[in-house]
Amino acid sequence: MKINDEARTKLLDTLNGLSDEKLNWKASEDKWSIRQALEHLYLMGGGVAKTIQSQLTKGETHDTPDKPIEWTVDHSTKVEVPDFAKLGDSFAVAAELKDKLKASHALLLQLEDTTPKEQLKERSYPHPAFGDMSLDQWIPFVGYHELRHIEQIQDVIEAMKAAK
């Protein structure tokens, strides 16, 4: 969870000093707000945790080669958002968003701490871009995915400054 913890620290640092209004600001209709990026992150983290739990109980065991999940940070390549991580349009406040991010992060940490590594390595679940990925790789994938969206959030912050 090292990459996940590093990403989370960077994310929270990036959010420091942003008002609820700025979190919900959109540069245009076809761009995400920071709130939407944060919502996507906690939905993905929670969805990945639930998928891991499910695959641990009913997934088949097989050998899955490691994937280059560090490529996830490159946000020039678009990936379709899974249905469970689709975004809403309602206004949200920073405290609520941070609580939901904290809960999804804690669930992943608990899974990693309580599940033998061999079980995570021997089961997999398909990723839309990487194909079958071991459950062991899905945990750090969440951290790389968060780093990807931190860049997106920084772009929104820059667009906000330019719009003034």
Side-chain angles (χ1 to χ4, degrees), residues 20-159:
D20 294 336
E21 287 72 25
K22 288 181 179 177
L23 289 175
N24 288 274
W25 181 86
K26 288 178 77 169
S28 64
E29 277 306 307
D30 64 333
K31 301 280 185 191
W32 282 5
S33 66
I34 295 170
R35 183 221 28 104
Q36 287 174 307
L38 297 175
E39 180 180 345
H40 174 70
L41 290 174
Y42 73 70
L43 289 172
M44 279 295 295
V48 167
K50 288 175 186 168
T51 297
I52 290 172
Q53 288 171 323
S54 172
Q55 291 303 307
L56 285 170
T57 59
K58 48 184 165 173
E60 296 180 17
T61 61
H62 55 279
D63 188 36
T64 306
D66 283 348
K67 304 299 190 292
I69 60 172
E70 60 280 353
W71 292 356
T72 304
V73 296
D74 176 12
H75 72 272
S76 66
T77 303
K78 299 286 184 199
V79 178
E80 186 67 29
V81 176
D83 286 342
F84 69 84
K86 298 279 184 186
L87 308 173
D89 281 325
S90 58
F91 188 90
V93 297
E96 172 190 349
L97 294 166
K98 288 177 182 177
D99 285 347
K100 290 179 179 181
L101 285 164
K102 184 177 179 180
S104 67
H105 190 76
L107 188 53
L108 276 173
L109 181 60
Q110 177 192 16
L111 275 169
E112 185 179 61
D113 286 348
T114 60
T115 308
K117 189 150 177 85
E118 313 82 60
Q119 280 188 332
L120 293 169
K121 286 233 38 97
E122 68 187 14
R123 288 182 171 78
S124 64
Y125 189 78
H127 181 275
F130 296 119
D132 268 357
M133 255 175 32
S134 70
L135 301 182
D136 182 54
Q137 278 204 294
W138 272 101
I139 293 171
F141 165 79
V142 171
Y144 287 113
H145 177 255
E146 200 158 293
L147 289 172
R148 170 189 183 100
H149 286 287
I150 290 169
E151 287 186 30
Q152 179 187 27
I153 289 168
Q154 290 168 335
D155 290 346
V156 174
I157 292 169
E158 289 305 312

